[in-house]
Short mmCIF file of all heavy atoms in Angstrom, two decimals:
data_model
loop_
_atom_site.label_atom_id
_atom_site.label_comp_id
_atom_site.label_asym_id
_atom_site.label_seq_id
_atom_site.Cartn_x
_atom_site.Cartn_y
_atom_site.Cartn_z
N ARG A 213 115.93 92.65 100.32
CA ARG A 213 115.63 93.25 101.61
C ARG A 213 114.50 94.24 101.53
O ARG A 213 113.73 94.41 102.46
CB ARG A 213 116.88 93.89 102.22
CG ARG A 213 117.82 92.90 102.77
CD ARG A 213 118.85 93.52 103.69
NE ARG A 213 119.93 92.56 103.87
CZ ARG A 213 119.85 91.46 104.59
NH1 ARG A 213 118.72 91.18 105.20
NH2 ARG A 213 120.85 90.63 104.69
N LEU A 495 120.92 82.13 114.85
CA LEU A 495 121.72 83.30 114.49
C LEU A 495 122.60 83.06 113.24
O LEU A 495 122.86 83.97 112.48
CB LEU A 495 122.61 83.73 115.65
CG LEU A 495 121.83 84.27 116.86
CD1 LEU A 495 122.79 84.64 117.99
CD2 LEU A 495 120.97 85.48 116.48
N ARG A 496 123.02 81.80 113.06
CA ARG A 496 123.91 81.50 111.92
C ARG A 496 123.10 81.20 110.64
O ARG A 496 123.67 81.11 109.59
CB ARG A 496 124.79 80.30 112.25
CG ARG A 496 125.69 80.52 113.45
CD ARG A 496 127.05 81.04 113.01
NE ARG A 496 127.78 81.60 114.13
CZ ARG A 496 128.72 80.97 114.81
NH1 ARG A 496 129.05 79.75 114.46
NH2 ARG A 496 129.34 81.55 115.79
N ASN A 497 121.81 80.96 110.78
CA ASN A 497 120.98 80.67 109.59
C ASN A 497 119.72 81.53 109.67
O ASN A 497 118.61 81.04 109.73
CB ASN A 497 120.56 79.18 109.56
CG ASN A 497 121.74 78.24 109.66
OD1 ASN A 497 122.32 77.87 108.64
ND2 ASN A 497 122.11 77.86 110.86
N ARG A 498 119.93 82.84 109.72
CA ARG A 498 118.84 83.74 110.07
C ARG A 498 117.67 83.69 109.08
O ARG A 498 116.52 83.70 109.49
CB ARG A 498 119.36 85.17 110.13
CG ARG A 498 120.19 85.39 111.36
CD ARG A 498 120.70 86.78 111.45
NE ARG A 498 121.62 86.85 112.57
CZ ARG A 498 122.66 87.66 112.63
NH1 ARG A 498 122.85 88.52 111.65
NH2 ARG A 498 123.45 87.68 113.66
N PHE A 644 115.52 89.39 108.37
CA PHE A 644 115.95 90.64 107.73
C PHE A 644 117.35 91.06 108.20
O PHE A 644 118.08 91.68 107.47
CB PHE A 644 114.94 91.72 108.07
CG PHE A 644 115.16 93.04 107.38
CD1 PHE A 644 114.68 93.24 106.11
CD2 PHE A 644 115.86 94.05 108.00
CE1 PHE A 644 114.89 94.45 105.45
CE2 PHE A 644 116.07 95.29 107.37
CZ PHE A 644 115.58 95.47 106.08
N TRP A 645 117.67 90.67 109.45
CA TRP A 645 118.89 91.16 110.08
C TRP A 645 120.12 90.85 109.22
O TRP A 645 120.31 89.71 108.83
CB TRP A 645 119.04 90.56 111.47
CG TRP A 645 119.81 91.45 112.39
CD1 TRP A 645 121.12 91.34 112.74
CD2 TRP A 645 119.30 92.62 113.04
NE1 TRP A 645 121.47 92.36 113.58
CE2 TRP A 645 120.37 93.15 113.79
CE3 TRP A 645 118.06 93.26 113.07
CZ2 TRP A 645 120.24 94.33 114.56
CZ3 TRP A 645 117.92 94.40 113.84
CH2 TRP A 645 119.01 94.92 114.58
N PRO A 646 120.95 91.86 108.95
CA PRO A 646 122.12 91.62 108.09
C PRO A 646 123.05 90.57 108.70
O PRO A 646 123.26 90.54 109.91
CB PRO A 646 122.83 92.98 108.03
CG PRO A 646 121.82 93.97 108.46
CD PRO A 646 120.87 93.28 109.37
N ASP A 647 123.58 89.73 107.82
CA ASP A 647 124.46 88.67 108.24
C ASP A 647 125.77 88.85 107.46
O ASP A 647 125.77 88.77 106.23
CB ASP A 647 123.81 87.31 107.89
CG ASP A 647 124.66 86.16 108.41
OD1 ASP A 647 125.80 86.38 108.79
OD2 ASP A 647 124.15 85.02 108.39
N ARG A 648 126.83 89.15 108.21
CA ARG A 648 128.09 89.47 107.52
C ARG A 648 128.57 88.29 106.65
O ARG A 648 129.11 88.46 105.58
CB ARG A 648 129.16 89.83 108.54
CG ARG A 648 129.23 91.30 108.81
CD ARG A 648 130.20 91.60 109.93
NE ARG A 648 129.74 91.03 111.16
CZ ARG A 648 130.50 90.85 112.25
NH1 ARG A 648 131.76 91.21 112.19
NH2 ARG A 648 130.02 90.34 113.35
N ARG A 649 128.31 87.08 107.13
CA ARG A 649 128.78 85.92 106.38
C ARG A 649 128.03 85.75 105.07
O ARG A 649 128.54 85.16 104.14
CB ARG A 649 128.62 84.65 107.22
CG ARG A 649 129.56 84.63 108.41
CD ARG A 649 129.25 83.47 109.30
NE ARG A 649 127.82 83.33 109.48
CZ ARG A 649 127.17 82.19 109.40
NH1 ARG A 649 127.81 81.09 109.10
NH2 ARG A 649 125.85 82.14 109.59
N GLU A 650 126.83 86.32 105.04
CA GLU A 650 126.00 86.19 103.85
C GLU A 650 126.68 86.81 102.64
O GLU A 650 126.61 86.31 101.53
CB GLU A 650 124.68 86.87 104.09
CG GLU A 650 123.73 86.88 102.94
CD GLU A 650 122.66 87.93 103.13
OE1 GLU A 650 122.26 88.17 104.29
OE2 GLU A 650 122.28 88.52 102.13
N GLN A 651 127.39 87.96 102.90
CA GLN A 651 128.04 88.64 101.78
C GLN A 651 129.19 87.81 101.21
O GLN A 651 129.61 88.04 100.08
CB GLN A 651 128.54 89.99 102.27
CG GLN A 651 127.39 90.97 102.44
CD GLN A 651 127.66 92.01 103.51
OE1 GLN A 651 128.80 92.17 103.94
NE2 GLN A 651 126.63 92.71 103.92
N ARG A 653 128.84 84.70 100.73
CA ARG A 653 128.23 83.57 100.02
C ARG A 653 127.53 84.08 98.78
O ARG A 653 126.42 84.59 98.87
CB ARG A 653 127.21 82.87 100.93
CG ARG A 653 127.80 82.07 102.03
CD ARG A 653 126.77 81.11 102.60
NE ARG A 653 125.61 81.79 103.11
CZ ARG A 653 125.31 81.86 104.41
NH1 ARG A 653 126.11 81.31 105.31
NH2 ARG A 653 124.23 82.46 104.81
#
Side-chain angles (χ1 to χ4, degrees):
Chain A
R213 284 196 195 287
L495 293 179
R496 300 266 164 100
N497 305 271
R498 286 181 188 151
F644 186 84
W645 208 259
D647 184 349
R648 268 174 295 165
R649 291 173 317 135
E650 178 198 325
Q651 286 151 14
R653 287 196 301 249

